[in-house]
Amino acid sequence: VLDYGLFVPAGLQTRGAPLLVMLHGCTQSPDDFARGTRMNALAVEHGYVVAWPEQSVERNPNRCWNWFRSGDQQRGQGEPAMLAALTGHLLARHHLDASRVYVAGLSAGGAMAAVLAATHPDVYAAIGVHSGLPVGLASDIPSAFAAMRKGGGRRRTAAGAAQPVPAIVFHGDGDTTVHPRNGEGVIDQSLGSGRTGAPPGRQTTSERGTSAGGRGYTRTVHRHADGRV
């Protein structure tokens, strides 16, 4: 059983609308995550449906998605199967556009979004990962904490991975909880490369800037040879 919240903007004709699946972080609830991200307000503005799955304390006492367990990194079993089944249910029930289904998450939720990209590239058109980790760095709780502290290391490919799924990745370079090398690892997997940077035939550009709130950032964009991001 997987509980979830669903936000459908008032007056939206759901047939053919996009679906965004939002995965909360540890100790959070869907309501916490909805308030923090304000994604429902953006859904009203842009016209899409938002699903907010909820992790249970029975599956994880801290309500973390179990991205680090081998049994939850495979297609056809564990939490990836549950989340993909929920996605399929919502597509059918609300006649949503199966070609415009996206999943995004924070921390453990971001790591599970990366797992879903690896296990179900036929379901999710793109992912958003905030302070998450790449697939295959951990297989249990001790290795999960090691990955969070250090990042990097050898990554196993999740069973069912067929092709890279486009990603937008956010990670603070001063993050002391989830090492920023993990964000680089998510990018590597999205590019289908085993190293940081663009594979042959692709171009990479980086720029530094400052947000309206005064926070500095670096943005790196990877493009195909024909200019597609």
Side-chain angles (χ1 to χ4, degrees):
V1 176
L2 183 62
D3 292 332
Y4 66 94
L6 187 69
F7 180 78
V8 180
L12 178 69
Q13 296 296 320
T14 60
R15 183 177 293 276
L19 172 65
L20 174 62
V21 180
M22 294 287 289
L23 302 178
H24 61 76
C26 296
T27 74
Q28 287 188 314
S29 70
D31 288 342
D32 295 333
F33 201 33
R35 283 192 296 269
T37 61
R38 294 176 289 180
M39 203 59 72
N40 288 346
L42 289 171
V44 172
E45 182 179 348
H46 296 286
Y48 57 85
V49 174
V50 191
W52 302 90
E54 181 173 21
Q55 177 64 299
S56 69
V57 293
E58 290 77 21
R59 284 191 294 273
N60 187 292
N62 292 316
R63 295 188 183 274
C64 305
W65 299 100
N66 292 304
W67 58 271
F68 51 86
R69 298 196 311 199
S70 297
D72 292 296
Q73 297 173 1
Q74 312 297 322
R75 186 182 179 98
Q77 66 183 66
E79 291 174 7
M82 296 173 65
L83 290 163
L86 171 62
T87 300
H89 166 74
L90 295 174
L91 286 174
R93 181 174 182 181
H94 298 280
H95 308 288
L96 302 168
D97 185 350
S99 69
R100 292 190 294 164
V101 181
Y102 312 96
V103 59
L106 170 68
S107 194
M112 183 53 70
V115 170
L116 288 171
T119 58
H120 295 81
D122 53 327
V123 176
Y124 300 100
I127 62 171
V129 178
H130 196 313
S131 308
L133 299 95
V135 185
L137 277 185
S139 57
D140 53 25
I141 292 177
S143 57
F145 280 111
M148 289 167 63
R149 285 194 306 270
K150 301 177 182 178
R154 177 173 293 182
R155 296 184 294 273
R156 295 178 291 104
T157 301
Q163 59 186 14
V165 172
I168 185 167
V169 180
F170 295 89
H171 211 116
D173 59 12
D175 193 333
T176 58
T177 302
V178 180
H179 197 285
R181 276 200 296 266
N182 287 299
E184 296 170 4
V186 176
I187 294 168
D188 287 348
Q189 289 183 336
S190 178
L191 291 171
S193 62
R195 55 184 174 78
T196 301
R202 296 187 184 175
Q203 302 170 344
T204 302
T205 58
S206 292
E207 63 179 30
R208 296 187 63 84
T210 304
S211 71
R215 186 177 297 277
Y217 65 86
T218 301
R219 181 175 68 174
T220 302
V221 180
H222 301 268
R223 291 182 175 85
H224 293 274
D226 62 5
R228 289 180 296 119
V229 173

